[in-house]
Amino acid sequence: MSKPPASPAFVQQLNFLGRDASNESAALQAAFSLGLFGQLSAGPGAWPLSLDSLAEHLGANRRGVRAILEPLVGLGFVLFEEGQGYLLAEDTAAFLADAAFRARLRAMLEWWHPVAKLPEAVRTGAAVDGRDLLGWFRALFLEPSPPVPNARAEEFFDRYARNFARTQALVTAAELGLLARLVETATPRDVLAAELKVHPEGLGVLLGVLASLGVAREEAGSWSFTEAAARMLDATSLPYFQRALPATMAYWEAFGHLGEAVREQRFRLDLRDPETARRIYQENASRISGIFGSHLRLSRKAAELVGQMRSLAGARVLDVGTGSGVWGAAFGLASPTTHVTYLDSVHVLDAVRPHLTKLKLEARSRLWEGDCLSVDYGEAEYDVILLPQIIPALPPEALPGFFAKLARALKPGGLLLISGYLLTDRRDGPLDALYFALRRYVSNEGDVLSLPEFQALLTPVGLKSARAFDMPIQQVVVAHRGDVAWPEVAAVPAA
């Protein structure tokens, strides 16, 4: 008898803690440390402050300030009046006026980098670099909290101070092998500590934090996954979940210096540096390759969408910034006569070849080594061009010329597919897309766009017809010259 599926709410929350919770804490902490909240007015008669004015008052980079502000608007701590600017929500202004509460917020700013040493603290059970990290976690999660002005203040503090610590607890549990061990039988704490070669008291704190997340539980002196966690994290799915955690940690130091990046444009993880980009993108390609099969099933939905608009028989498809090659492979499988070109750097293409071999697509594939911004795509070469999650990796100033080259390379009746996150028209959600955009800023990359922003880039190069469609993973924007009929599928409505 198969076990019941995991609760979608629990799955969403745990994935948020593993991927985006630290981004959220970083945005709130940077806004506080930069003095952003103090620049905004609240209440009746308050005057909105424009983004340009706010950046000028803070002496900071405009795009960096926007990258921090947008999640705060999505969370409701800051208000945005279209065409005018930003205001502080009245309830936010009220709890930030409390001096004791502000002091607690200031005290938390010094813990970002020490928290990354939680694995060492759990192993030794001792202070790390003179800091009682285990005591800090115990006070934050396992002991009664000091009073706060109101429930809204508690929510702010929880997101500000606990979310990045929750992420680190999951990272530590994965690194020490605790999550993998909890998949097995219920086990006493001291036995777990001996098996994992960690300190029993340190492990006790970590287990207590996991219990507060609904991941672990103690029953009759033994620890195991909760029922909800066991449904989500079995021996098959746990590796999938844990693959996201190293990517989160790759950005940890950079987020710890987010205020510096916004004010000084100094990036501790600069993906415009060729060597840094090579390392990170190669790691990403390898990580994505590990989940290639599941993503292939989802990517084939996009090929089905295109198949409703035009035949893929004999089509020439270009997959730009292919990564693992999963999008191009999905189109290669759509018809036995489709030919796909996979464009990326050589170290990424190395991860593509085994997949093409396994799927028997080699004879109808071309691996093209090159930089997507500098290669010559030719004229009227391709029936379909795929951009799988690469727009946020490109400098915004390069996009007009990039789209012009792609439009020139499309045949009559050709389609451009852009996959990835899509913001609302007001750029105030979805929150996971805003956190992804913040990650792109802190690594000196590109941006996440809304449909109107895509249309503003595509229309001048002749791709005057563009719509967004929901896909199982994220969304796709499909664009053409107006010479292709739209499918009988509901497009994403304007937000």
Side-chain angles (χ1 to χ4, degrees), residues 122-306:
V122 173
R123 286 189 184 100
T124 64
V128 179
D129 296 338
R131 291 179 179 268
D132 183 11
L133 188 55
L134 293 175
W136 183 81
F137 268 88
R138 190 180 294 109
L140 199 60
F141 288 99
L142 308 180
E143 297 174 358
S145 298
V148 294
N150 52 48
R152 187 65 166 154
E154 175 55 36
E155 180 193 349
F156 184 96
F157 183 82
D158 190 70
R159 295 177 183 274
Y160 177 103
R162 294 193 185 95
N163 267 351
F164 78 106
R166 291 178 175 118
T167 298
Q168 190 55 239
L170 288 171
V171 168
T172 299
E175 181 179 322
L176 297 179
L178 176 59
L179 294 181
R181 184 59 182 79
L182 290 175
V183 171
E184 302 171 19
T185 57
T187 308
R189 183 200 69 176
D190 289 355
V191 175
L192 282 173
E195 290 181 3
L196 301 175
K197 297 182 173 57
V198 301
H199 195 280
E201 294 301 321
L203 180 61
V205 172
L206 180 58
L207 285 167
V209 177
L210 295 181
S212 75
L213 304 183
V215 172
R217 66 179 177 185
E218 184 183 18
E219 188 173 352
S222 292
W223 284 89
S224 64
F225 274 148
T226 62
E227 184 178 345
R231 289 178 180 177
M232 175 182 172
L233 303 175
D234 58 19
T236 300
S237 58
L238 178 61
Y240 181 94
F241 171 74
Q242 291 188 149
R243 283 190 185 98
L245 301 178
T248 297
M249 289 308 300
Y251 290 82
W252 194 271
E253 182 183 3
F255 271 122
H257 295 279
L258 177 57
E260 175 185 275
V262 172
R263 182 161 276 160
E264 305 172 29
Q265 290 187 271
R266 292 181 58 203
F267 300 95
R268 299 299 180 108
L269 181 67
D270 187 352
L271 292 183
R272 296 199 191 187
D273 172 69
E275 180 54 32
T276 303
R278 183 203 65 76
R279 174 176 59 84
I280 293 295
Y281 291 146
Q282 188 170 11
E283 290 172 359
N284 285 346
S286 175
R287 191 176 301 115
I288 294 171
S289 290
I291 54 177
F292 185 92
S294 60
H295 278 214
L296 179 62
R297 290 191 297 273
L298 299 173
S299 300
R300 295 187 78 165
K301 297 293 184 182
E304 291 173 11
L305 174 67
V306 169

Side-chain angles (χ1 to χ4, degrees), residues 417-450:
L417 262 73
I418 308 167
S419 73
Y421 288 106
L422 189 68
L423 294 181
T424 62
D425 293 359
R426 285 167 46 89
R427 293 187 61 94
D428 57 359
L431 277 171
D432 58 346
L434 295 174
Y435 297 137
F436 185 77
L438 184 63
R439 188 179 284 196
R440 302 281 68 77
Y441 175 77
V442 82
S443 55
N444 196 20
E445 291 186 281
D447 201 1
V448 179
L449 304 179
S450 65

